[in-house]
Amino acid sequence: MEILSVSDSDLNRAAAALAGGLLVAFPTETVYGLGADAFNPGALARVFEAKKRPRFDPLIVHIADMDFLAKIADLTTLNADTRQRLTVLTERFWPGPLTLVLPKQKEVPGLATAGLATVAVRSPSHPVAQKIIRLSTGAVAAPSANSFGSLSPTRAVHVKASLGEKVDYIVDGGKTELGLESTVLDLTACPNGQAVILRLGATSMEAIEELIGPVVLSVVSDKPISPGQLKSHYAPRVPLILYKHGELASIPDARAEGKEVSEGRLYFSFNPETAPDASTRADRIRVLSKSGDLSEAAANFFDMLHELDALGLDLIRAEEAPAYGLGAAINDRLYRAASNVKEYMEIKT
Ligand code: TXA
Ligand code: MG
């Protein structure tokens, strides 16, 4: 594995590697993606292997030019209503953090879509991602560049730690700007004519509804349609206990209660300087946004969980974000991250 910079010559190398069937991790505006040529089944198979990702979990195909959309998705089968929604959504949100599920073109390998008749497509806004896609084959399949089920990568070092030698190149573009994955919106299911959100993400549900009217939210399920709906996902190695918004500040530290447990805390919004016992645990406290700004909180979310996860703690206590806008997407990930806590309770209590 080799780390590349974002210089023109390095991006040319990254693109050539992709076109040649190698795996290249690169930054997008949401999280780092593990890229492979979307039309190369051998490269796609390596993506599943590297991530230890189940073959039933389809990938997102990334494009940089609108011309490529029709090569990936079969737009001829869409009814006028869906076509209209596709137009307004792409005009408003592309390039950007919105993934659309559409009928698949038959040329797209079944491995990319896990055998489904649909394909997920998005056009990332990150200039490095756009350059790499354009300079390679124009269509790059890329899941988040982490092992399946673990925290998503917001920096090149996270990719290196999670995938190491399983990836051929990592393009280091610094910390990703938005920090949460794209929102996945299914335009094919449309019960009662409505689109379905399969994963909350960096484009808020409110912003989508403002544009196309009410959508159905279908993000947690025992039998997931979209594996982003799995109950345990986005999990740190350390057990995570979740509290209601605003409740964490009144929970005493485990040590203060006489327990031999070192805990870390992830606050949504909190001022550690004014907390009575802040000095004893300040290094183990992270605050997503002191001012309560949802975009700032989203950008810090995985990054701060990575930091806490690296501290060798026994436990992370986290609090919910407010349940609207990007806060709903943060909470969605917190619920899944907290699903590893049962294990902890059995061991420790
Ligand atoms: O922001 C993002 O979306 C990042 C960056 C790299 O673009 N990518 C990402 O990929 O998060 P991944 O593989 O971690 O998540 C893709 C999600 C999964 O929940 C998957 O199940 C869903 O999209 N998905 C993909 N194709 C689908 C399809 N045909 N139908 C339903 N869900 C699909
Ligand atoms: Mg992922």
Side-chain angles (χ1 to χ4, degrees):
M1 187 271 295
E2 192 182 336
I3 307 262
L4 297 176
S5 75
V6 296
S7 69
D8 281 348
S9 64
D10 273 12
L11 294 189
N12 272 309
R13 283 181 68 195
L18 273 172
L22 298 182
L23 301 193
V24 178
F26 60 88
T28 79
E29 71 280 18
T30 59
V31 300
Y32 275 74
L34 175 61
D37 174 10
F39 287 101
N40 183 332
L44 296 172
R46 273 190 68 205
V47 167
F48 284 88
E49 234 163 77
K51 274 185 69 89
K52 300 196 191 73
R53 181 177 177 116
R55 292 281 176 109
F56 62 74
D57 193 350
L59 307 175
I60 297 172
V61 177
H62 295 66
I63 60 174
D65 292 302
M66 273 311 264
D67 298 350
F68 264 84
L69 180 58
K71 295 186 189 167
I72 307 299
D74 183 0
L75 307 178
T76 61
T77 61
L78 299 177
N79 63 30
D81 193 37
T82 308
R83 211 181 270 255
Q84 169 65 13
R85 276 185 238 176
L86 174 65
T87 305
V88 294
L89 286 165
T90 52
E91 275 176 5
R92 167 78 83 88
F93 295 116
W94 280 12
L98 177 68
T99 293
L100 298 172
V101 174
L102 293 162
K104 158 188 177 310
Q105 273 297 12
K106 53 184 181 313
E107 287 78 18
V108 177
L111 208 48
T113 62
L116 296 174
T118 57
V119 62
V121 198
R122 98 170 181 97
S123 178
S125 64
H126 197 299
V128 169
Q130 288 189 359
K131 271 190 201 161
I132 289 176
I133 295 165
R134 287 206 178 100
L135 291 169
S136 62
T137 60
V140 176
S144 52
N146 56 322
S147 298
F148 185 71
S150 64
L151 296 175
S152 294
T154 49
R155 294 174 190 269
V157 288
H158 301 155
V159 182
K160 191 177 171 203
S162 189
L163 299 176
E165 293 305 319
K166 293 177 193 141
V167 44
D168 298 302
Y169 294 98
I170 302 172
V171 178
D172 187 348
K175 183 182 168 185
T176 61
E177 186 192 342
L178 303 179
L180 287 184
E181 297 89 340
S182 62
T183 301
V184 179
L185 183 70
D186 189 345
L187 290 182
T188 65
C190 295
N192 315 315
Q194 284 172 316
V196 180
I197 291 189
L198 296 175
R199 178 177 71 184
L200 290 165
T203 299
S204 75
M205 177 160 158
E206 289 89 335
I208 292 170
E209 291 194 319
E210 201 176 292
L211 201 64
I212 62 168
V215 298
V216 176
L217 182 60
S218 166
V219 295
V220 176
S221 158
D222 282 327
K223 271 195 169 173
I225 315 172
S226 176
Q229 300 179 307
L230 290 171
K231 276 185 184 162
S232 173
H233 213 72
Y234 312 115
R237 285 168 296 182
V238 180
L240 184 144
I241 298 183
L242 189 58
Y243 295 83
K244 294 259 170 263
H245 180 61
E247 280 185 4
L248 182 54
S250 61
I251 304 293
D253 185 88
R255 270 196 211 283
E257 290 196 309
K259 293 190 186 123
E260 278 307 303
V261 168
S262 71
E263 65 168 74
R265 294 193 169 204
L266 184 69
Y267 285 96
F268 172 71
S269 168
F270 178 68
N271 187 350
E273 283 87 41
T274 61
D277 57 350
S279 58
T280 60
R281 55 177 205 214
D283 59 324
R284 291 179 276 127
I285 287 183
R286 294 293 182 281
V287 182
L288 291 178
S289 168
K290 280 190 188 169
S291 65
D293 178 79
L294 287 167
S295 303
E296 185 186 9
N300 284 330
F301 178 70
F302 279 121
D303 212 49
M304 289 184 169
L305 271 178
H306 274 288
E307 286 175 10
L308 289 173
D309 207 20
L311 294 179
L313 304 163
D314 296 311
L315 170 69
I316 297 171
R317 296 189 205 263
E319 71 174 342
E320 289 177 341
Y324 55 85
L326 295 183
I330 293 172
N331 288 345
D332 174 70
R333 282 152 184 78
L334 279 172
Y335 300 144
R336 290 163 222 254
S339 68
N340 64 4
V341 80
K342 277 194 215 90
E343 227 170 285
Y344 170 80
M345 294 303 202
E346 276 156 25
I347 299 164
K348 299 275 173 180
T349 60

